[in-house]
Amino acid sequence: MTVAAQDLVETPDPHGAFPRLTREQLDALCPAGERRPVRPGDVLYAQGECSPGWYVVLSGKVAIQHREGDETRTVRVHGPGRFLGELGLLEGQPSFFTAVAAEPGEVLVAGVGELKRLVTGDPVLGDLILRAYLVRRALIIGSGDGLRIVGSCYSPDTRRLLEFVARNRLPYRLDDLDQDRGAEALLRRLGVTVDQTPVVVLPGAGVLRNPSNAELARAVGLRHQEPRAGVRDMLVVGAGPGGLAAVVYAASEGLATSAFDAVAAGGQASTTSRIENYLGFPSGISGAELAERSVIQAAKFGVLVDVPGEARTLAPRGGLYAVGFDDGTEVVTRTVIIATGARYRRLPIPRLEHLEGTCVYYAATPEEARQCGADPVAVVGGGNSAGQAAVFLAGTSPVVHLVVRGGDLGANMSRYLVDQVRRHPRVRVHLHTEVREIAEDGKAMSGVEVEDNRTHERTRLAARALFVFIGAAPHTRWLSGHIALDADGFVLTGADAGAFQAAGISRAPLPLETSSPGVFAVGDVRHGSVKRVASAVGEGAMAVRLVHEHLAQAR
């Protein structure tokens, strides 16, 4: 494999994605790896394969290439002092690119385990690497160099796959059968018929025909197939901020811990473009970055979050608990942390489901913003999620209509967000207003019809997309009647849970403990929880302390 001479100019670094290590940092790294000479054309790692190690360029240049069909193009060139790879290297995912030596030189190669040790153990170098990898993943997402999904955007299975890859922060590109002229030609080259769509073209050119989320997760390294043998000390069901905090604290304290999430690590918080009131991050942090950092931190202590893994049943079993999952597996554990959060509520308007994933969204991340382009949009809701979405979307949309049912923007929204919304020149606030209908122009959305709930006067707002943030319903059906819930389905804990449902237990439930001893609930799924990231993280940490207390009493 060769690289043309004109591709040898090193890629600029305007975003901090490709930092150059200092001589002191390189000297410190050399004992942790092996120096290897390279010749032009030497492949360090290949697209579609997991990298065998972490590479740092000591001399010469390395080209990063992307292959699509019969075409291979150089997307980056790195010179001395730069390190290779991106976020998938830390998470065991196949590479989206091939790294090939572009000229004679030398590289330093260290094990991926050593890279993880640096990221979690060296505060300066680790933060530099992790920050670069997070920015690189964002750049790949923006470029579309990743998975290739071919299907109709109106297909429920296509929308399912799009949601899954977006929530798991996987780079992808949609070839829409309804809009892209080349999509059917691509299917013919792949030997796929339209009735087999959607298909996913993997980085190594493998093709999955209408895969389930679990099949896709296994192909891209999200499902880790953790051994199920033996009884776990703690099982965390749900990997939002509360669940991830429980995983990190439990694993760091030596508890044998497993963790699952039905969709993606990070929960609802991962769909938030910017969290600006989380302690310790004065410039804010995106929900996706917070989730990625937490997942890497959990892996440091030996716990990999399995995705997707949807809990279906919970059953007591001789002083232990058995949790059954949708793939037929079962985990037996001494304690359970319920962190399954809540599902988005839908507006009661016609044809909403038909438009979900194409112009109706329940998250406002860079993925959704990219799909909307520079079109006007509408955001429904009066809480922090709606305010954050409105401000974020206003960065690219010419007009953002914020539709609020109540009359006071500050009733459920933090003051700092109210100020940002009020000051932003492209955000228009509509109080006492509710969405009644979505206007369509062919297969696309052209506007929303809204009604003033005082005068009942109706108007139409020009919008090509609708973002809905009107709360959520708890995901608790899987608890199988063994856990006491409130009238709305949220889990009762502590004094609210009443007496234990199991016989022979004399003590009262601990704080965060449910009506079943040893089963705890944290985050949005819990009755009376504070709907804030910081409080969910605090509850996750607190639950681990209570797990220790329960286990000590149970001995």
Side-chain angles (χ1 to χ4, degrees):
M1 183 175 293
T2 58
V3 181
Q6 63 265 27
D7 294 327
L8 292 179
V9 177
E10 189 175 53
T11 304
D13 183 25
H15 306 291
F18 314 116
R20 199 180 308 279
L21 300 180
T22 65
R23 173 50 56 187
E24 291 76 15
Q25 288 171 328
L26 290 172
D27 291 342
L29 284 174
C30 281
E34 175 190 354
R35 301 174 74 112
R36 292 182 188 172
V38 293
R39 297 172 300 178
D42 286 351
V43 176
L44 306 183
Y45 54 84
Q47 184 173 322
E49 299 177 3
C50 292
S51 174
W54 180 56
Y55 291 88
V56 181
V57 182
L58 299 178
S59 63
K61 290 188 176 72
V62 172
I64 306 301
Q65 298 182 331
H66 185 265
R67 185 181 71 254
E68 193 169 290
D70 297 329
E71 179 185 353
T72 298
R73 56 189 173 85
T74 298
V75 295
R76 313 250 193 271
V77 176
H78 298 306
R82 288 189 176 180
F83 51 87
L84 309 183
E86 59 97 38
L87 203 56
L89 181 59
L90 291 170
E91 299 182 355
Q93 298 171 5
S95 175
F96 296 108
F97 303 100
T98 294
V100 57
E103 59 184 35
E106 188 179 34
V107 298
L108 176 72
V109 57
V112 176
E114 181 64 23
L115 171 61
K116 292 179 179 179
R117 187 194 67 77
L118 285 170
V119 168
T120 56
D122 187 317
V124 177
L125 186 56
D127 193 66
L128 177 73
I129 295 169
L130 183 55
R131 168 60 62 180
Y133 278 2
L134 289 165
V135 177
R136 290 182 193 185
R137 175 56 65 93
L139 291 175
I140 301 171
I141 289 174
S143 70
D145 290 330
L147 304 174
R148 197 168 180 181
I149 299 175
V150 187
S152 168
C153 66
Y154 301 104
S155 160
D157 282 319
T158 302
R159 295 201 301 266
R160 169 181 57 80
L161 292 171
L162 290 173
E163 179 187 9
F164 183 76
V165 297
R167 288 287 302 275
N168 283 283
R169 301 166 293 282
L170 295 171
Y172 76 94
R173 186 176 83 212
L174 173 64
D175 290 274
D176 190 346
L177 288 170
D178 293 299
Q179 299 180 17
D180 300 338
R181 292 182 177 179
E184 289 195 23
L186 174 60
L187 290 182
R188 287 193 294 271
R189 290 202 305 272
L190 296 172
V192 176
T193 58
V194 173
D195 62 305
Q196 294 175 309
T197 61
V199 299
V200 180
V201 183
L202 301 171
V207 177
L208 300 177
R209 291 166 169 81
N210 195 11
S212 67
N213 289 355
E215 289 171 333
L216 178 56
R218 283 191 290 270
V220 298
L222 291 174
R223 195 68 190 261
H224 305 291
Q225 298 299 326
E226 179 184 351
R228 309 285 185 240
V231 176
R232 315 304 287 168
D233 291 324
M234 192 175 89
L235 171 64
V236 180
V237 184
L244 287 171
V247 170
V248 169
Y249 280 94
S252 69
E253 294 172 12
L255 294 176
T257 304
S258 291
F260 294 80
D261 195 277
V263 180
Q268 187 173 342
S270 68
T271 66
T272 303
S273 57
R274 180 67 48 179
I275 305 170
E276 298 197 58
N277 57 355
Y278 189 47
L279 186 66
F281 294 89
S283 60
I285 182 171
S286 73
E289 181 175 346
L290 181 64
E292 294 287 8
R293 287 176 175 268
S294 301
V295 168
I296 293 168
Q297 195 172 12
K300 167 187 176 181
F301 296 112
V303 180
L304 301 174
V305 179
D306 263 321
V307 174
E310 184 171 1
R312 291 291 177 84
T313 58
L314 169 70
R317 182 177 294 174
L320 305 173
Y321 291 95
V323 177
F325 289 87
D326 56 348
D327 63 355
T329 60
E330 183 180 78
V331 178
V332 179
T333 180
R334 294 181 175 85
T335 63
V336 179
I337 304 291
I338 302 169
T340 43
R343 299 283 175 88
Y344 304 110
R345 287 197 173 98
R346 290 176 164 86
L347 289 168
I349 57 179
R351 292 179 56 79
L352 184 70
E353 185 175 345
H354 170 71
L355 297 170
E356 288 176 334
T358 58
C359 50
V360 175
Y361 306 100
Y362 299 91
T365 71
E367 287 303 309
E368 287 79 21
R370 182 160 64 99
Q371 292 185 48
C372 294
D375 292 327
V377 301
V379 177
V380 183
N384 280 353
S385 295
Q388 289 164 344
V391 172
F392 170 68
L393 293 167
T396 54
S397 295
V399 177
V400 176
H401 298 283
L402 180 58
V403 180
V404 183
R405 182 174 59 179
D408 179 10
L409 195 59
N412 298 298
M413 191 181 296
S414 298
R415 172 50 54 188
Y416 82 93
L417 265 178
V418 173
D419 292 341
Q420 288 186 20
V421 168
R422 292 290 190 190
R423 289 199 307 265
H424 205 293
R426 289 192 290 276
V427 178
R428 299 178 185 175
V429 179
H430 306 266
L431 299 177
H432 298 289
T433 305
E434 299 179 47
V435 175
R436 296 300 184 214
E437 191 176 346
I438 295 178
E440 295 182 64
D441 179 10
K443 291 185 177 181
M445 174 178 163
S446 60
V448 291
E449 188 169 302
V450 298
E451 179 179 308
D452 187 307
N453 55 30
R454 300 165 301 175
T455 65
H456 304 293
E457 179 183 356
R458 291 198 177 193
T459 56
R460 177 171 293 186
L461 305 176
R464 305 291 292 185
L466 179 65
F467 292 80
V468 182
F469 299 91
I470 57 172
H475 180 48
T476 52
R477 286 183 297 176
W478 67 280
L479 297 176
S480 314
H482 295 293
I483 303 296
L485 309 176
D486 69 9
D488 296 318
F490 291 88
V491 178
L492 295 170
T493 57
D496 293 330
F500 284 132
Q501 295 179 356
I505 304 293
S506 58
R507 66 175 177 84
L510 299 168
L512 304 182
E513 195 171 21
T514 70
S515 57
S516 291
V519 180
F520 300 82
V522 301
D524 290 354
V525 74
R526 190 178 68 82
H527 168 80
S529 66
V530 178
K531 303 299 188 288
R532 294 290 185 271
V533 171
S535 63
V537 170
E539 288 180 10
M542 179 180 172
V544 175
R545 174 66 185 84
L546 298 174
V547 163
H548 282 293
E549 188 172 337
H550 166 78
L551 292 175
Q553 293 175 355
R555 291 192 180 100

